[in-house]
Amino acid sequence: MSTCLPHQLPGNSIMSTTVTVLGLGTMGAAIARLFLEQGRQVTVWNRSAGKAAPLAALGARAAATAAEAIRASDLAVMIVYDYAAAHAILAAPGVAAALRGKTLVQLTTGSPAEAREALAWATAHGAAYLDGAIQAAPSQMGQPDTPVLLSGDPQAYARVAGTLRDLAGNITYLGSQIDAAAAMDLATLSYVYGATAGFIHGALIAESQGLDVAQLGSIVAGISPSFGAFFQHEGKVIQSGDFTVSESPLRISVEAARRILDSSKAAGINTDMPAFVDNWLQRADAAGLGNQELAALIKVIRPRAQAASLGFAPAGA
């Protein structure tokens, strides 16, 4: 546990020990507790005032209004249900005036468009603004590997980085583009839900053969680190634009996906997921991409305008 001394940040700037937390759901309450454990002077506010009581018992100051809470600190961290709730709070009497000259870190999950709109509002009212995305459960907060994405003004980030490290040891700052955190959150969730669909279909395959689905979960856990490294490589391939085979030729996956589809049909189980993947890979194969890196699959699903600018016409798009 740290002392109450201010945190030293890059550029020799000092971050105040005071912080306000707006929104005390499960995640907001966890955030407020972490700040308290690190010796911060924490002011809390929630639309349902009763949720502040347990934190007040731990030493937090419970404010009567959102404006009062914001006035108490130079940094306000908001984590509420959605941006509609956030907008309602920001529109409350005195809030805009209280935020002038202060920094608002929005950790409410939202879209890239909502992040851009929030920045415009904050700028118009004289507040610095950072948009973020927490990629962990409340119980996982405060750990060295807790992942949080942040984007926005680099000077504002430098001022608050030390304080925010109370919440997560694995903060990824994505630069000044305000919607970067929200967009990257969607990108990573796309991976998560895609993997979930694959796992659920895998569970069907295991069940159809009388195998232990719990054991499937253990096998997936074991191979996940190596596949994480593989996707890290594929990301670099896509960014470079060089799809020369370096790890896995696409043609191997064409055959594997068709094998999964055919076996699923033979087992009489749902084929939605393997049929979807097979469709992408068959299109890639028809486009002559079989002898390129697996990441070349992206070429067949890019929007036509983007594909044309990169010198590739999607097949069957």
Side-chain angles (χ1 to χ4, degrees):
M1 208 180 270
S2 69
T3 67
C4 297
L5 294 175
H7 286 241
Q8 188 74 38
L9 296 179
N12 296 320
S13 59
I14 299 293
M15 181 62 209
S16 168
T17 59
T18 63
V19 60
T20 288
V21 178
L22 302 167
L24 301 175
T26 305
M27 182 63 80
I31 285 173
R33 283 194 297 271
L34 286 168
F35 282 139
L36 286 166
E37 289 170 4
Q38 296 303 315
R40 306 288 179 187
Q41 299 171 29
V42 182
T43 300
V44 297
W45 176 85
N46 192 72
R47 286 174 294 181
S48 301
K51 289 188 176 181
L55 294 163
L58 295 175
R61 175 175 173 263
T65 66
E68 178 188 333
I70 291 167
R71 285 194 294 268
S73 313
D74 289 331
L75 168 62
V77 175
M78 180 178 284
I79 176 84
V80 292
Y81 181 72
D82 57 19
Y83 266 72
H87 290 323
I89 294 168
L90 295 175
V95 167
L99 272 172
R100 184 168 296 277
K102 301 193 175 185
T103 300
L104 173 63
V105 176
Q106 180 62 271
L107 295 179
T108 299
T109 301
S111 69
E114 288 172 321
R116 294 190 295 269
E117 292 167 1
L119 173 63
W121 183 93
T123 301
H125 292 89
Y129 180 78
L130 293 170
D131 199 77
I134 296 173
Q135 299 193 304
S139 64
Q140 298 170 318
M141 296 300 292
Q143 303 302 312
D145 60 348
T146 302
V148 173
L149 307 178
L150 283 172
S151 56
D153 177 36
Q155 293 183 340
Y157 175 70
R159 287 196 300 271
V160 304
T163 301
L164 296 180
R165 280 194 287 271
D166 292 353
L167 309 180
N170 184 20
I171 294 177
T172 300
Y173 174 62
L174 296 168
S176 61
Q177 182 177 323
I178 193 61
D179 57 5
M184 198 64 81
D185 186 49
L186 293 178
T188 52
L189 285 174
S190 178
Y191 162 72
V192 168
Y193 289 122
T196 300
F199 179 79
I200 296 301
H201 184 81
L204 284 180
I205 293 175
E207 285 181 342
S208 73
Q209 302 302 311
L211 300 174
D212 185 345
V213 177
Q215 188 174 35
L216 169 66
S218 296
I219 293 170
V220 169
I223 66 176
S224 290
S226 61
F227 271 93
F230 173 74
F231 291 129
Q232 183 178 46
H233 173 76
E234 297 300 282
K236 292 176 181 177
V237 167
I238 294 170
Q239 185 64 32
S240 73
D242 180 0
F243 293 90
T244 303
V245 174
S246 50
E247 286 287 350
S248 179
L250 188 143
R251 65 176 183 276
I252 293 176
S253 292
V254 173
E255 297 167 2
R258 179 53 60 91
R259 189 163 58 250
I260 296 169
L261 178 58
D262 290 344
S263 297
S264 297
K265 289 177 179 177
I269 61 176
N270 181 279
T271 60
D272 290 350
M273 193 284 294
F276 176 78
V277 176
D278 179 71
N279 174 263
W280 278 12
L281 285 162
Q282 291 296 326
R283 287 164 54 191
D285 194 39
L289 303 177
N291 289 321
Q292 295 189 23
E293 182 65 23
L294 177 58
L297 184 61
I298 197 172
K299 295 182 181 183
V300 302
I301 62 168
R302 278 178 172 146
R304 283 188 174 275
Q306 181 185 9
S309 71
L310 295 171
F312 179 80

